[in-house]
């Protein structure tokens, strides 16, 4: 009894110990989840893995695979088996003499039969090639969906970065206004400032607080849009961080035609349009094969069992199966003379679909060239804009420092100081916007050169 009670006590202590470990693990996991900061690559990876568009395309690719297997199956002989059982009452066929009889009987039949299309004008061959091209198009469409989800996420990510920095700038500006307000009040008490000057500083402080509230609202909206692009749970916190250090912002020396030649050979959209054109070409060739005669072969093996219900003797079951075996092999030649215009209309439709696919392919290439041209121009333009924004921000900061000293000496009005501070914030905002836009367009140009938006391993 003592040993049993000690064992029970030991088990109880172990259960409590394991429960405490489990609670600690859950708590640590929850804390880590709350403290997680999402980098750009983290957001892109999550968005791609949870995108409904990507999952929809994966399902569509599965359908393409099944269509491909079905097309292959048309070249393989079909094989089917059948069995039947029937009772005959009254007038019927005597299975032994093949004459009419009035004896009730029971019959049971078995058969195995096969069918194979030997020649159909190569229609099935072209169907296989068509479905194979469909698979390739689906693969490229999936890659395109992944990259577009990644780009949309990246664009929203940079927007949130911009809004976060704008909140910081607005906070700094509000703090500066608060300090200037305190200084103005002290100078008023000393008789160095009049009440209108203090009122002007109060208005400046209120405007900066309003601007801070506005920037926080814009940041909240930006996070909501980023969650939407990522398909992120709406009730969970999303805190992003920019892990990239300051990059060298320079204009690209590569020409658009060089980038276009690379993109034309590897870009998923161009390859998808090219595969779609091949699909329609194989469909047209399959339609031509529909005018060809069709040669097919059939084979059948059958046997059966009969028992008369008048009590007479009958041959054993297995003996009848062996003795009544029959085999059939036949060939069929089918000539398509007239099918209600179905063959001709299918062919003419396939010709029109080839023209449409060719036009869409050329349009895709033309659009691709324009997008590359615009992306390169945007990237180079943002590089120039960034350099000018840096110079403007440095000049504004220098001027504002001088104006701050002039205000303290009573040489300028609060309104002039207010205007000077706003110019500094605007210059910093323009510099930040130019930097983020350059990074976005640079990634887009690199994508056309073959570098995926998705940096992490799949």
């Amino acid at each position: 009894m003592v040993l049993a009670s000690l064992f029970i006590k030991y088990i109880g202590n172990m259960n409590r110990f394991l429960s405490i470990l489990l609670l600690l693990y859950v708590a640590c996991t929850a804390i880590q989840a709350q403290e997680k900061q999402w980098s750009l690559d983290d957001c892109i990876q999550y968005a791609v893995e949870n995108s409904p568009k990507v999952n929809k395309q994966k399902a569509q690719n599965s359908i393409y695979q099944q269509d491909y297997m079905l097309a292959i199956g048309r070249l393989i002989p079909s094989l089917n088996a059948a069995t039947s059982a029937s009772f005959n009452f009254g007038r019927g066929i005597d299975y032994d003499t093949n004459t009419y009889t009035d004896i009730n009987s029971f019959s049971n039949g078995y058969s195995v039969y096969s069918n194979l299309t030997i020649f159909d004008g190569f229609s099935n061959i072209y169907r296989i090639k068509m479905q194979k091209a469909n698979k390739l198009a689906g693969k490229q469409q999936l890659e395109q969906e992944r990259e577009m989800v990644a780009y949309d996420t990246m664009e929203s990510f940079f927007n949130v970065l911009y809004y976060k920095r704008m909140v910081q700038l607005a906070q700094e500006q509000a703090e500066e206004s608060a300090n200037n307000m305190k200084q103005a009040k002290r100078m008023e008490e000393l008789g160095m400032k009049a009440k209108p000057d203090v009122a002007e500083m109060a208005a400046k402080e209120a405007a900066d607080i309003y601007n801070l509230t506005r920037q926080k609202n814009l940041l909240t909206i930006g996070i909501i849009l980023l969650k939407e692009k990522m398909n992120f749970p709406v009730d969970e916190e999303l805190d992003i961080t920019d892990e990239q250090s300051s990059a060298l912002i320079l204009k690209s020396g590569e020409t658009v035609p060089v980038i276009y030649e690379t993109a034309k050979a590897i870009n998923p959209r161009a390859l998808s349009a090219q595969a779609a054109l091949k699909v329609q070409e194989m469909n047209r060739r399959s339609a031509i094969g529909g005018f060809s005669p069709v040669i097919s072969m059939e084979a059948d093996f059958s046997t059966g069992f009969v028992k008369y219900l008048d009590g007479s003797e009958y041959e054993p079951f297995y003996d009848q199966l062996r003795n009544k075996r029959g085999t059939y092999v036949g060939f069929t030649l089918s000539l398509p003379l007239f099918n209600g215009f179905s063959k001709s209309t299918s062919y003419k439709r396939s010709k029109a679909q080839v023209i449409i696919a060719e036009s869409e392919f050329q349009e895709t290439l033309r659009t691709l060239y324009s997008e590359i041209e615009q992306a390169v121009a945007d990237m180079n333009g943002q590089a120039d804009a960034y350099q000018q924004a840096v110079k403007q921000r440095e000049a504004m900061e220098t001027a504002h420092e001088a104006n701050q000293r002039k205000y303290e000496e009573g040489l300028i009005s609060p309104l002039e100081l207010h205007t000077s501070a706003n110019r500094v914030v605007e210059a910093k905002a323009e510099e930040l916007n130019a930097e983020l836009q350059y990074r976005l367009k640079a990634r887009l140009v690199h994508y056309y050169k073959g570098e995926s938006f998705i940096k992490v391993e799949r």
Side-chain angles (χ1 to χ4, degrees):
M1 294 293 294
V2 174
L3 291 175
S5 61
L6 290 175
F7 178 75
I8 294 173
K9 183 177 180 181
Y10 172 76
I11 294 298
N13 292 334
M14 285 296 296
N15 289 335
R16 285 194 294 272
F17 178 71
L18 293 175
S19 300
I20 292 173
L21 287 180
L22 180 61
L23 291 174
L24 289 175
Y25 173 77
V26 172
C28 292
T29 303
I31 292 175
Q32 290 177 355
Q34 293 176 355
E35 295 178 350
K36 176 179 174 61
Q37 287 188 316
W38 293 72
S39 67
L40 175 59
D41 291 337
D42 292 335
C43 292
I44 288 177
Q45 178 69 9
Y46 185 93
V48 171
E49 291 179 351
N50 296 274
S51 170
K53 293 182 179 179
V54 172
N55 293 332
K56 178 181 177 181
Q57 187 59 49
K58 287 181 179 179
Q60 182 61 51
N61 289 358
S62 176
I63 295 176
Y64 290 151
Q65 174 64 25
Q66 301 310 313
D67 291 341
Y68 177 68
M69 296 303 299
L70 180 61
I72 292 178
R74 293 177 180 271
L75 297 179
I76 302 174
S78 64
L79 182 64
N80 300 278
T83 183
S84 63
S86 61
F87 290 90
N88 184 68
F89 302 96
R91 186 176 177 83
I93 298 293
D94 189 319
Y95 294 95
D96 294 328
T97 63
N98 201 31
T99 60
Y100 287 103
T101 180
D102 291 329
I103 304 176
N104 298 336
S105 63
F106 166 78
S107 61
N108 181 207
Y110 303 89
S111 64
V112 177
Y113 53 94
S114 177
N115 182 276
L116 172 64
T117 300
I118 299 176
F119 179 78
D120 63 350
F122 305 107
S123 290
N124 284 333
I125 298 295
Y126 290 125
R127 287 193 189 99
I128 293 176
K129 293 182 178 181
M130 181 179 69
Q131 298 303 333
K132 188 175 181 180
N134 258 333
K135 285 178 56 181
L136 177 59
K139 180 180 178 181
Q140 298 302 329
Q141 289 165 3
L142 175 61
E143 191 65 24
Q144 180 184 349
E145 289 293 348
R146 290 167 58 89
E147 296 294 346
M148 290 302 98
V149 169
Y151 179 79
D152 291 341
T153 302
M154 181 170 60
E155 191 174 29
S156 297
F157 182 91
F158 284 148
N159 287 337
V160 174
L161 280 182
Y162 176 79
Y163 294 138
K164 285 187 70 174
R165 180 56 181 154
M166 290 303 298
V167 169
Q168 294 174 1
L169 291 177
Q171 182 68 44
E172 294 171 0
Q173 191 175 23
E175 292 174 357
E176 181 182 344
S177 296
N179 293 331
N180 289 335
M181 180 64 186
K182 293 178 182 178
Q183 184 180 10
K185 286 184 177 180
R186 287 195 300 268
M187 295 177 73
E188 181 189 15
E189 293 172 356
L190 296 174
M192 300 175 62
K193 292 289 183 182
K195 283 188 177 181
D197 292 337
V198 177
E200 184 66 33
M201 295 306 300
K204 170 69 166 58
E205 183 182 17
D208 290 341
I209 293 175
Y210 168 78
N211 182 55
L212 176 60
T213 303
R214 177 174 171 272
Q215 296 300 331
K216 286 182 178 180
N217 290 336
L218 291 175
L219 174 60
T220 301
I221 295 173
I223 293 175
I224 292 173
L225 295 177
L226 177 58
K227 286 183 177 181
E228 179 183 347
K229 298 298 182 181
M230 294 172 57
N231 200 25
F232 193 83
V234 295
D235 56 343
E236 294 185 15
E237 294 294 328
L238 179 61
D239 184 19
I240 68 170
T241 180
D242 187 15
E243 296 181 348
Q244 179 174 331
S245 58
S246 299
L248 189 62
I249 299 179
L250 297 173
K251 297 174 68 173
S252 174
E254 294 187 85
T255 61
V256 174
V258 173
I259 300 176
Y260 169 73
E261 290 300 324
T262 302
K264 186 170 63 172
I266 62 176
N267 186 265
R269 187 157 39 133
L271 295 179
S272 176
Q274 186 177 19
L277 174 59
K278 185 175 181 180
V279 167
Q280 298 305 330
E281 179 60 29
M282 293 301 104
N283 184 42
R284 184 186 68 84
R285 295 186 181 184
S286 178
I288 292 175
F291 294 101
S292 171
V294 178
I295 302 174
S296 60
M297 181 184 72
E298 299 176 353
D300 178 84
F301 172 82
S302 61
T303 185
F305 167 79
V306 178
K307 175 183 178 181
Y308 294 102
L309 303 180
D310 60 351
S312 60
E313 294 292 332
Y314 60 91
E315 193 175 5
F317 178 77
Y318 290 104
D319 291 342
Q320 288 195 39
L321 292 183
R322 184 176 60 254
N323 296 331
K324 293 184 177 181
R325 290 178 300 182
T327 305
Y328 161 78
V329 177
F331 294 88
T332 302
L333 174 63
S334 176
L335 300 175
L337 300 178
F338 180 74
N339 295 278
F341 306 109
S342 63
K343 302 291 184 181
S344 59
T345 54
S346 295
Y347 172 67
K348 291 178 181 179
R349 185 186 298 113
S350 66
K351 283 183 61 178
Q353 289 171 341
V354 169
I355 296 174
I356 293 173
E358 173 67 27
S359 300
E360 291 177 349
F361 176 58
Q362 296 300 329
E363 183 180 358
T364 299
L365 294 182
R366 184 67 185 88
T367 302
L368 181 63
Y369 187 92
S370 298
E371 290 177 354
I372 294 173
E373 194 172 27
Q374 182 176 350
V376 172
D378 287 343
M379 183 183 70
N380 292 334
Q382 292 300 330
D384 289 336
Y386 177 77
Q387 301 299 332
Q388 295 300 320
V390 170
K391 295 178 181 179
Q392 177 179 268
R393 187 257 306 162
E394 292 173 349
M396 291 297 179
E397 287 178 337
T398 302
H400 181 62
E401 291 175 359
N403 288 332
Q404 186 73 34
R405 290 192 297 269
K406 290 180 180 180
Y407 172 76
E408 294 172 357
E409 296 172 0
L411 299 178
I412 62 174
S413 66
L415 180 59
E416 291 174 305
L417 182 64
H418 184 187
T419 302
S420 176
N422 287 342
R423 287 176 178 175
V424 172
V425 173
E426 291 174 0
K428 289 181 178 180
E430 290 177 2
E431 178 185 355
L432 175 63
N433 181 65
E435 177 189 354
L436 295 178
Q437 288 296 322
Y438 174 85
R439 289 171 57 183
L440 180 65
K441 299 304 179 181
R443 288 288 294 269
L444 184 58
V445 172
H446 292 161
Y447 163 72
Y448 289 125
K449 293 163 60 177
E451 183 179 326
S452 173
F453 295 128
I454 309 170
K455 296 293 185 181
V456 292
E457 295 182 1
R458 302 172 193 171

